[in-house]
């Protein structure tokens, strides 16, 4: 099953390499990984999406917790949560394609953020399926370049991951 | 307040941490530190002949005393030479701190002379690693390193020290922190009371219980609690290779150690049990054999300080995270208070069954009128040393024979590389023990393969006068490899022969020690007595043993715990 694990990490050099190293060392999957500082400059927030059986996911969370620099973590998929990913796509856009792409972007509530005579650059945010859906809708033949941030997530309601 | 250089602060921190000995080897990036060492005499340095040996020395010391060992090496090759030793300690959860020189911080990343990313290289085989970024943080970094190494589930910690952090001309106010606080590291201090109660209820109701104890009992200094609980319950107890000595091996409730080369009765009892109380062990593949066939009728209580060890390979029915001594103490008082008693009738018939297994096989080997059997060498030394020596081992058949036939009644006496299986471990580990236990007999069981992996340390033994006894069970082969080739590759002995063995007697003499060769059975006892009588000499005892001996019992690959070879021809 796909899981989203959110981690508060000491904002120190080398901490990220320990997390990434753990995944490769123990043969766990990383599908996406995002990391950035938080409002507390001593902490980074890291979100990793992974897949595995319940047993593997339990090991992943336990092994992550064992890393000295991991302060706290939560498996967001255990409760209601919001997940978002940002994507920038460069599309071939000439002639009648231009109007067609514009319509698709609107349907997906995206924005065209850069334009040339032959290229549109589209920005899209949402959960990963929505971004996959957009790529399917425009078709891979027109795509020049795709960049995705990977998933960030947060629990719904009052629940917070903090010190 | 005193003003000290970074290097002086480092050495002073070691002293304030209570470190008496460090094991190491100098080089460019560590020279400021070595100079500070030279100018004091409280922290003593032991110069090895290869950095790997320094780590095994620190490791042997740590295993025998329960206190963290300390290593000091230079950057680059000095640091990378420690990796096998660090990995060895990591696999067996041994506390130690490895201080590594590093090129100056201004040069890092420029492929400077003797620059290696030691933090990166060591990362997968350490509990943690730290680097010094400002000289004034040295005392705190050192305090943190020892704290992390020695608490919770212990393990090695590497500290990377760029050369400019120890420069002699910059001085700082020194004070050693009494305490460290790490918000993200809080090892459990007691087990969950509800879980412990549930476990005790299950123990009382069990019909065919087994206690399965591991190295965690020794690391957690919980042997006396384990012994008390086991006696109060009257249950059979087995332990892992790493747990040897956690419960007296000569006691009647002890059914030997378990797993790949464990006793017939221990493996049978595990397989047929209805309840396993696992204390500080980790259901390693050398114990469980095929996990899907593991102990089909057993429910499992698992006590461990490391939550990640629980339900990793075998699911626990009752997990208890906590220090083993504290958890066992609580269990003992619950057992004593309890109105329920263990089921006496069920236990009596369970013991009857176990005694039948013990009688059917037990630990035994065929003797021969003229060839020396490796097992009899071990048994004889067990008797001649009254079972009270510190015994280190290398890796191979000799290791298994030593573990099978030397009966350990005390913890911290059996010192071997169980998790990583590192050939070359035995001699330096023995040296680390002898240095701090000069009045104790220290034996190193080894093979002619393993001993050559760190034989240069005979020179260190000369320098520091370390009269260990090296017992080379010379079968003129990489015996354990050869055994697997006999069993699985139709005796095609690919590279498992040692054809050009050195003359170990001359070699020992060349290093300034005594060498004794034993190749006739009738010489064995008198010569071993002579060897042990040479109290102040390192003696290299080269014993020509049966070249064709195999280690048994041996679990059948991919079988259950009860599937074993008992000899070359009997399989159960
Ligand atoms: C550093 C290292 N390399 C290889 C091995 C694989 N190995 C395990 S036992 C063994 C043979 C050891 O031979 P020896 O020391 O003579 O012991 P014996 O089995 O003959 O008693 C080997 C090569 C190992 N455990 N460690
Ligand atoms: Mg050999």
């Amino acid at each position: 099953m796909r899981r989203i694990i959110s981690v508060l990490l000491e904002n120190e050099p080398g901490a990220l390499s320990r997390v990434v190293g753990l995944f490769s060392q123990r043969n766990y999957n990383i599908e996406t990984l995002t990391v950035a500082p938080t409002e507390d400059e001593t902490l980074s927030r890291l979100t990793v999406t992974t897949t595995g059986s319940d047993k593997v996911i339990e090991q992943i969370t336990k092994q992550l917790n064992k890393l000295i620099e991991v302060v706290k973590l939560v498996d967001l998929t255990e409760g209601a949560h919001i997940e978002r990913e940002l994507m920038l796509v460069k599309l071939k856009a000439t002639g009648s394609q231009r109007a067609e792409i514009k319509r698709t972007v609107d349907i997906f509530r995206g924005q065209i953020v850069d334009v040339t005579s032959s290229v549109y650059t589209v920005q899209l945010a949402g959960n990963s399926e929505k971004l996959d859906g957009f790529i399917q809708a425009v078709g891979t033949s027109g795509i020049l370049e795709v960049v995705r941030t990977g998933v960030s997530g947060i629990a719904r309601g009052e629940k917070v991951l903090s010190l | 307040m005193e003003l000290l250089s970074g290097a002086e602060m480092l050495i002073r921190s070691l002293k304030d941490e209570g470190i008496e000995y460090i094991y190491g080897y100098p080089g460019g990036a560590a020279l400021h530190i070595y100079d500070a060492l030279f100018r004091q005499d409280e922290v003593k340095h032991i110069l090895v002949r290869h950095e790997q040996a320094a780590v095994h020395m620190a490791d042997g010391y740590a295993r025998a005393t329960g206190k963290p060992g300390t290593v000091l090496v230079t950057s680059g090759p000095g640091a990378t030479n420690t990796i096998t030793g660090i990995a060895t300690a990591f696999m067996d959860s041994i506390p130690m701190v490895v201080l590594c020189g590093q090129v100056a911080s201004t040069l890092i990343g420029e492929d400077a002379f003797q620059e290696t990313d030691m933090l990166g290289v060591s990362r997968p085989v350490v509990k943690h690693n730290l680097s010094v970024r400002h000289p004034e943080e040295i005392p705190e970094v050192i305090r943190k390193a020892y704290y992390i190494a020695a608490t919770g589930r212990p393990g090695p910690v590497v500290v990377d020290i760029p050369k400019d952090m120890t420069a002699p001309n910059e001085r700082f106010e020194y004070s050693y922190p009494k305490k460290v606080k790490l918000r993200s590291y809080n090892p459990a201090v007691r087990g969950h009371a509800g879980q412990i109660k549930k476990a005790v209820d299950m123990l009382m109701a069990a019909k065919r219980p087994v206690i399965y104890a591991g190295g965690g009992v020794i690391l957690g200094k919980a042997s006396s609690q384990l012994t008390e609980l086991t006696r109060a319950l009257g249950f059979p107890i087995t332990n892992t290779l790493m747990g040897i000595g956690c419960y007296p091996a000569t006691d009647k409730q002890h059914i030997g150690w378990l797993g790949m080369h464990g006793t017939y009765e221990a493996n049978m009892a595990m397989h047929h049990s209805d309840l396993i109380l696992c204390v500080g062990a980790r259901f390693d593949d050398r114990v469980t054999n095929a996990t899907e066939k593991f102990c089909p009728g057993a429910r499992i209580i698992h006590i461990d300080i490391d939550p990640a060890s629980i339900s990793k390979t075998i699911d626990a029915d009752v997990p208890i995270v906590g220090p083993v001594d504290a958890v066992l103490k609580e269990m003992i008082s619950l057992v004593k208070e309890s109105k329920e008693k263990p089921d006496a009738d069920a236990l009596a018939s369970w013991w009857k069954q176990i005694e039948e297994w013990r009688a059917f096989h037990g630990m035994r080997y065929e003797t021969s009128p003229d060839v020396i059997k490796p097992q009899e060498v071990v048994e004889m030394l067990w008797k001649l040393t009254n079972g009270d020596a510190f015994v280190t081992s290398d890796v191979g058949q000799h290791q298994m024979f030593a573990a099978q036939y030397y009966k350990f009644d005390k913890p911290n006496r059996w010192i071997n590389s169980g998790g990583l299986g590192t050939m070359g471990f035995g001699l330096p580990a023995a040296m680390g023990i002898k240095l701090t236990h000069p009045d104790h007999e220290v034996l190193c069981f080894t093979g002619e393969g393993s001993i050559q992996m760190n034989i240069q340390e005979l020179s260190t033994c000369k320098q520091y006068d370390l009269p260990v006894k090296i017992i080379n069970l010379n079968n003129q082969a990489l015996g354990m490899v050869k055994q697997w080739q006999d069993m699985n590759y139709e005796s095609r002995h690919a590279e498992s022969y040692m054809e050009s063995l050195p003359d170990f007697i001359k070699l020992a003499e060349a290093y300034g020690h005594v060498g004794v060769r034993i190749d006739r059975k009738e010489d064995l006892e008198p010569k071993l007595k002579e060897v042990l009588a040479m109290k102040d000499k390192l003696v290299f005892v080269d014993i020509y043993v049966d070249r064709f001996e195999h280690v048994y019992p041996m679990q059948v690959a991919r079988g259950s715990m009860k599937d074993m070879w008992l000899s070359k021809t009997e399989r159960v």
Side-chain angles (χ1 to χ4, degrees), chain A residues 2-152:
Chain A
R2 177 172 173 272
R3 302 294 187 111
I4 306 174
I5 299 170
S6 217
V7 183
L8 281 181
L9 194 65
E10 296 286 1
N11 188 6
E12 282 186 18
L16 178 62
S17 75
R18 269 186 244 278
V19 173
V20 176
L22 174 70
F23 275 77
S24 65
Q25 186 185 339
R26 295 197 180 258
N27 227 349
Y28 307 144
N29 283 316
I30 295 186
E31 290 197 341
T32 71
L33 175 75
T34 69
V35 56
T38 64
E39 83 288 0
D40 174 348
E41 63 183 23
T42 68
L43 288 173
S44 300
R45 171 98 171 216
L46 179 145
T47 313
V48 55
T49 59
T50 180
T51 52
S53 64
D54 287 352
K55 202 178 165 80
V56 170
I57 299 294
E58 184 182 326
Q59 268 298 308
I60 292 178
T61 56
K62 285 174 167 178
Q63 294 291 350
L64 278 170
N65 260 318
K66 254 174 86 166
L67 297 178
I68 308 286
E69 284 141 341
V70 167
V71 186
K72 247 184 190 175
L73 66 81
V74 61
D75 178 352
L76 288 175
T77 20
E78 277 177 353
H81 64 279
I82 299 160
E83 62 171 280
R84 287 290 179 274
E85 195 179 348
L86 181 77
M87 175 166 73
L88 298 170
V89 194
K90 222 168 245 195
L91 294 160
K92 223 185 298 165
T94 48
S96 63
Q97 282 174 325
R98 292 178 84 87
E100 181 62 30
I101 291 170
K102 175 82 176 70
R103 257 197 309 280
T104 315
V105 170
D106 287 343
I107 294 169
F108 279 85
R109 295 173 191 279
Q111 289 144 292
I112 297 172
V113 290
D114 190 41
V115 180
T116 72
S117 59
S118 61
V119 170
Y120 277 165
T121 301
V122 175
Q123 167 187 314
L124 204 66
N127 64 23
S128 306
E129 285 105 80
K130 175 176 156 181
L131 306 193
D132 294 343
F134 178 80
I135 288 176
Q136 242 181 355
V138 294
T140 46
S141 63
I143 294 180
L144 299 170
E145 191 179 347
V146 172
V147 51
R148 297 169 71 148
T149 57
V151 173
S152 288

Side-chain angles (χ1 to χ4, degrees), chain B residues 23-30 34 48 50-56 71-87 96-103 113-123 125-126 129-130 156-162:
Chain B
Y23 316 92
Y25 209 89
Y34 272 88
V48 292
H50 186 298
E51 289 89 349
Q52 182 189 346
V55 187
H56 294 327
V71 175
L72 172 60
V73 294
T74 189
S75 66
T80 55
N81 267 351
T82 63
I83 289 294
T84 302
I86 294 173
M96 71 166 61
V97 172
V98 180
L99 307 165
C100 299
Q102 179 57 282
V103 300
F113 178 62
Q114 296 195 328
E115 176 184 358
T116 301
D117 172 14
M118 187 55 182
L119 295 173
V121 171
S122 66
R123 199 205 63 235
V125 293
V126 292
N129 55 27
L130 299 158
V157 174
V158 162
V159 183
D160 200 47
I161 311 168

Side-chain angles (χ1 to χ4, degrees), chain B residues 412-424:
Chain B
N412 309 92
R413 290 295 169 92
W414 165 244
I415 312 282
N416 84 139
S417 165
L420 199 67
T422 307
M423 290 170 68

Side-chain angles (χ1 to χ4, degrees), chain B residues 6 26 48 97 154 186 227 230 278 310 316 382 393 462 517 542 557:
Chain B
V48 292
V97 172
N186 299 295
T227 305
T230 305
C278 170
I310 297 179
W382 170 56
S393 173
K462 185 69 191 168
R517 177 180 165 126
D542 192 19

Side-chain angles (χ1 to χ4, degrees), chain B residues 395-398 421-423 447-450 453 475 477-481:
Chain B
V395 173
Q397 292 182 318
H398 62 272
T422 307
M423 290 170 68
E448 72 307 309
S450 295
M453 288 219 179
N475 54 8
L478 301 176
M480 188 56 97
V481 171

Side-chain angles (χ1 to χ4, degrees), chain B residues 490-502:
Chain B
E490 298 167 320
S491 295
R492 288 187 298 277
H493 296 154
E495 308 298 326
S496 56
Y497 276 117
M498 301 287 282
E499 267 166 352
S500 49
L501 286 177

